[in-house]
Amino acid sequence: MSTPRAKPKYYLTTPLYYTNGLPHIGHTYSTIVADVIRRYKRMRGFDVFMTTGADEHGVNVERSAKKAGKSPQEYSTAIAAQWRQLWDELGIPGDEFIRTTDERHHRTVQWLFKRCRENGYIEKGHYTGQYCVHDNAYVVDAGPGDPCPDCGRPTETVTEENYFFKLAEFQQKLLDFYAANPDFIRPESRRNEVLSFVQGGLRNLSITRTTIRWGIPVPGEAPHVFYVWFDALIGYLSAVGGPEFDERGLWPADLHMVGKEIIRFHAVYWPAFLMAADLPLPKQIWAHGWLLFDSEKMSKSRGNVVRPRPIVSVLGIEPLRYYLLREIVFGQDGSFSYDALVSRYNSDLANGLGNLASRTLTMIDRYFGGEIPKPPRYGVLGNEPGSADFASEALTRITTLYDRFSFSLALEGIWELVAWIDKYLTVEKPWTLAEQPENREQLAKVLYTAAEGLRIVTALAHPVLPQSTEKIWRQLGQTTPLSSVQMDLISWGQLKPGTKIGKLEGIFPRVEKSEAIERIEAMEQEQSKAPETVAATPAATPAAAATAPAVSAPAKIGIEDFAKIEMRVGQVKSAERVAGADKLLQLQVDIGDEVRQIVAGLALAYKPEDLVGRKVVVVVNLQPRKLRGVESNGMIVAASSGPDGSPVLAGFLEDVPVGARLK
Ligand code: MSP
């Protein structure tokens, strides 16, 4: 048995992400949210453990590997390393990174299967049905060629001898469990959705495959391998001890944080598997909404993904964390926009928290020689506006919001405090008070109140802004790390007069919006040009990783890959600048059989009027993309020259007809 813990444990997980592609900002959102919860729970006295990882088996990974000319194992290992590297780089690594190809995981899956089988919940049967390869799911009630109701891709007909899990036997048990544990599925809308699905009746579930090679073998039953969901879900248990989970004392999980499209697997299949194996069930499944881009779910297959690295290189990770948690109502879908991201950064972080910290601390430095002033009646500020009662009320209100995962409201509440302190300073005018020696006591009171308010705000914002709040905390002269402070123990008046403040440094420099967006988009475009591919060895240190490009030099490609890129001679018909974007030009380009609109980053090197009539090389079969809200349908080929990488258009010395293909 596990040794008793000094603190209650809290075990939470992110989904285990597929290794058939690289992370985009939707995945990053899930991992950031889990990290915020982890940090918050630590500040509430829990011994927190977080698992993330890679879901590596199944047809999708097998196919992507084949395309890349690699074995599934080799391909998936390289991609999993890139996921792990990104989480490290963004400061959101799991305490455990489980790979479904780990030996410890294979053992756990086989063990769980054995337990379910011994308990009589596994049987052999035949299955013919429509299968969606993309979602790794059979589609019930579909006929040959019907589309998958989730992703719209055509389903495939498969007939197999399978092992079945007797899911139907769990209908009532699950309904009873949901009734006894009303908080098991959150939010309420998802709970209702799952309830009606289960009430509608459950069919037995085929949990092995003979048509797939790339999976965990069913012991003694070759060629059966486990169905990806009777594999990946079990990863949450493998990560914390597998069959010996009791030794670590972390299972059952307190929270599985997932996106809404995989709620059924987590809230129906997973508890049924665990019930069948006589194992404890997770305490809660929380399904958040989707990040949308141009009103659609962001996903690789739709070609509308935003990657985290360009944003982080230009603004940093903290503004991204703040934006995602503040702007998106947790549990609902939300649109991602660069404009809103940078606006939030400037208004709430640069002009808000950053400016408040800077003006408060600078005045303490200037008027009190860098020591927290001693206000009159220090410690009995209870009846001052905005102090004791106000602070304790705010602490209770905001921790309640965090407890409910109402992140957006929690941040709104914290920023109301920021606004309050700002206004207090504006009304009290400490810079004027400082002019008259007889106002010294009042000046001390005002600056003490602002600094103490700032200290409380900083602690409350820590789960979302871990690094910058830690900096402000140190500037306030605090020596214990903020991450180890317990929220319940914070109260007004703990800031000790006489404390020497730390070295002052700006936290969130203001950025010029259009320039920041252009830089992000240019990097994004640069990265999207490189195909998602298997990287070489990942950077060994976080510092090296921070500057490493998202994808490394592509492997050599065959002629058939090159043939996929259709390039044609085009002629520019018109060209104009894109409003608010220094580098972008919006071009109309004749490519022979049609005129295409293309947005290209040429404006710093070419005047629009000089381009009209010019023959250019166009990649015509790229997915359309929007740049600064303008649709771009193709790409103009240019060399990147000089240290600033300024573009030089590819062209021809002889005359060539418009529309001619390049080979
Ligand atoms: N491998 C399965 C999960 C198995 S868990 C035992 C899987 N992987 S995934 O790579 O497709 O990741 C899906 C998860 O990534 C979603 O559930 C969600 O957490 C996150 N997101 C992917 N796209 C997203 C958005 N556009 N918006 C928000 N979250 C998104 O499913």
Side-chain angles (χ1 to χ4, degrees):
M1 284 302 281
S2 58
T3 40
R5 289 165 186 275
K7 297 178 187 174
K9 67 94 188 169
Y10 190 87
Y11 174 38
L12 83 162
T13 64
T14 74
L16 309 185
Y17 303 104
Y18 287 131
T19 48
N20 63 337
L22 295 174
H24 58 66
I25 208 150
H27 308 111
T28 311
Y29 176 59
S30 299
T31 310
I32 285 178
V33 168
D35 181 71
V36 169
I37 296 171
R38 156 169 57 180
R39 291 176 196 270
Y40 172 70
K41 290 285 176 186
R42 282 199 182 127
M43 292 182 85
R44 293 306 301 273
F46 288 90
D47 188 354
V48 188
F49 193 85
M50 173 174 143
T51 285
T52 187
D55 182 357
E56 305 188 40
H57 294 121
V59 182
N60 279 324
V61 176
E62 206 172 18
R63 286 191 181 164
S64 300
K66 201 166 172 206
K67 261 201 225 157
K70 308 269 175 194
S71 71
Q73 179 73 50
E74 194 186 357
Y75 175 83
S76 188
T77 297
I79 298 274
Q82 296 205 47
W83 282 82
R84 195 173 186 159
Q85 180 188 326
L86 181 78
W87 301 150
D88 283 349
E89 215 176 297
L90 301 184
I92 49 177
D95 299 300
E96 188 67 68
F97 188 96
I98 184 80
R99 296 183 52 190
T100 57
T101 48
D102 286 346
E103 205 280 318
R104 58 179 170 158
H105 174 66
H106 284 212
R107 234 182 104 229
T108 311
V109 172
Q110 291 166 346
W111 167 78
L112 197 99
F113 176 75
K114 191 162 163 262
R115 283 181 76 117
C116 293
R117 196 178 197 177
E118 282 166 3
N119 288 343
Y121 293 110
I122 305 283
E123 64 183 5
K124 221 171 199 178
H126 276 91
Y127 186 87
T128 298
Q130 294 307 117
Y131 187 72
C132 173
V133 173
H134 179 263
D135 293 335
N136 285 309
Y138 279 104
V139 180
V140 183
D141 299 330
D146 281 356
C148 165
D150 286 331
C151 71
R153 293 175 175 80
T155 54
E156 292 176 13
T157 309
V158 288
T159 299
E160 296 188 47
E161 184 200 51
N162 288 166
Y163 280 99
F164 281 75
F165 176 80
K166 296 186 189 171
L167 186 64
E169 293 193 15
F170 289 88
Q171 181 184 13
Q172 199 49 48
K173 287 180 198 147
L174 284 169
L175 291 172
D176 293 345
F177 177 75
Y178 303 146
N181 298 278
D183 287 337
F184 180 63
I185 305 164
R186 295 279 89 198
E188 197 60 19
S189 52
R190 299 289 154 228
R191 175 180 154 83
N192 294 337
E193 185 185 302
V194 170
L195 246 57
S196 59
F197 172 73
V198 177
Q199 278 155 354
L202 295 174
R203 298 189 189 199
N204 289 348
L205 181 74
S206 133
I207 54 158
T208 68
R209 299 282 181 272
T210 51
T211 45
I212 300 172
R213 295 274 78 79
W214 179 232
I216 299 178
V218 181
E221 303 286 348
H224 286 269
V225 298
F226 288 105
Y227 164 52
V228 283
W229 285 99
F230 195 95
D231 167 347
L233 289 162
I234 301 164
Y236 300 139
L237 183 56
S238 315
V240 291
E244 293 81 36
F245 66 90
D246 251 358
E247 287 169 18
R248 305 258 313 258
L250 288 165
W251 192 259
D254 293 271
L255 174 69
H256 291 313
M257 175 59 62
V258 298
K260 66 180 184 183
E261 79 289 357
I262 53 174
I263 184 74
R264 193 181 292 175
F265 299 103
H266 284 79
V268 181
Y269 297 0
W270 182 220
F273 297 162
L274 290 165
M275 281 176 182
D278 259 334
L279 292 169
L281 268 49
K283 304 266 173 56
Q284 192 171 61
I285 321 283
W286 232 105
H288 64 67
W290 287 337
L291 283 195
L292 311 175
F293 199 71
D294 294 338
S295 314
E296 279 201 88
K297 182 187 179 213
M298 197 181 285
S299 74
K300 197 174 101 179
S301 51
R302 290 189 179 88
N304 62 348
V305 297
V306 171
R307 305 281 178 187
R309 276 196 180 92
I311 295 172
V312 171
S313 323
V314 174
L315 294 178
I317 176 69
E318 304 241 321
L320 177 62
R321 290 172 71 106
Y322 178 80
Y323 164 78
L324 291 173
L325 282 261
R326 174 71 181 79
E327 199 86 350
I328 292 157
V329 175
F330 195 64
Q332 296 179 14
D333 292 352
S335 281
F336 178 87
S337 118
Y338 288 123
D339 207 281
L341 165 69
V342 183
S343 297
R344 277 277 171 211
Y345 172 80
N346 277 333
S347 66
D348 296 10
L349 299 181
N351 294 347
L353 181 60
N355 183 48
L356 174 67
S358 152
R359 70 199 291 221
T360 305
L361 290 158
T362 307
M363 284 191 280
I364 291 177
D365 191 38
R366 189 172 304 155
Y367 306 139
F368 291 94
E371 277 184 12
I372 301 291
K374 184 168 172 19
R377 296 185 294 116
Y378 160 60
V380 283
L381 282 173
N383 48 9
E384 295 296 339
S387 53
D389 293 343
F390 184 78
S392 72
E393 185 279 327
L395 278 157
T396 314
R397 186 163 43 89
I398 284 155
T399 48
T400 308
L401 291 168
Y402 268 125
D403 284 334
R404 293 187 196 138
F405 300 160
S406 297
F407 303 111
S408 180
L409 290 176
L411 291 172
E412 200 179 309
I414 300 170
W415 260 256
E416 274 165 20
L417 297 179
V418 171
W420 183 88
I421 307 167
D422 251 337
K423 188 160 168 232
Y424 173 75
L425 287 174
T426 309
V427 170
E428 297 291 333
K429 296 192 180 51
W431 48 91
T432 310
L433 294 174
E435 288 165 9
Q436 307 293 334
E438 65 271 25
N439 292 335
R440 188 93 184 138
E441 278 210 338
Q442 178 64 6
L443 177 65
K445 189 189 104 178
V446 171
L447 289 183
Y448 181 86
T449 303
E452 179 57 335
L454 175 65
R455 188 184 69 94
I456 288 172
V457 160
T458 304
L460 285 171
H462 181 69
V464 179
L465 299 172
Q467 294 160 17
S468 39
T469 51
E470 200 72 68
K471 281 188 195 158
I472 299 175
W473 191 252
R474 280 199 302 272
Q475 290 185 37
L476 279 163
Q478 306 304 296
T479 46
T480 346
L482 177 50
S483 55
S484 66
V485 166
Q486 295 301 295
M487 283 214 186
D488 315 39
L489 302 180
I490 296 175
S491 64
W492 186 268
Q494 288 166 332
L495 181 61
K496 284 206 178 57
T499 305
K500 195 91 190 110
I501 63 171
K503 190 167 165 285
L504 303 189
E505 50 168 330
I507 307 288
F508 298 114
R510 235 190 108 76
V511 297
E512 207 280 304
K513 193 193 222 166
S514 59
E515 193 195 313
I517 298 178
E518 259 175 55
R519 283 177 55 208
I520 295 172
E521 286 189 340
M523 287 178 77
E524 176 81 39
Q525 230 191 351
E526 198 54 44
Q527 288 198 0
S528 66
K529 273 191 219 153
E532 274 193 2
T533 184
V534 177
T537 323
T541 62
T547 51
V551 276
S552 65
K556 290 225 163 47
I557 58 166
I559 188 78
E560 66 287 356
D561 285 322
F562 178 72
K564 286 186 202 143
I565 304 170
E566 188 182 347
M567 283 191 275
R568 288 203 226 158
V569 176
Q571 187 166 36
V572 180
K573 293 284 159 203
S574 69
E576 57 185 285
R577 295 187 185 277
V578 174
D582 293 350
K583 290 197 187 125
L584 298 182
L585 291 182
Q586 179 178 342
L587 311 170
Q588 302 298 327
V589 184
D590 184 356
I591 55 165
D593 47 9
E594 61 176 304
V595 174
R596 288 280 184 91
Q597 173 164 292
I598 299 176
V599 179
L602 298 170
L604 297 181
Y606 294 90
K607 288 198 194 118
E609 57 273 24
D610 293 346
L611 288 177
V612 177
R614 182 154 176 168
K615 289 198 175 148
V616 289
V617 177
V618 183
V619 180
V620 297
N621 61 342
L622 274 182
Q623 294 263 22
R625 259 185 82 80
K626 274 198 177 157
L627 290 165
R628 303 307 298 274
V630 185
E631 181 152 306
S632 180
N633 239 311
M635 192 175 81
I636 311 270
V637 177
S640 157
S641 93
D644 60 345
S646 75
V648 176
L649 285 171
F652 301 92
L653 295 174
E654 284 90 22
D655 197 24
V656 276
V658 170
R661 278 197 69 163
L662 277 82
K663 292 193 261 185

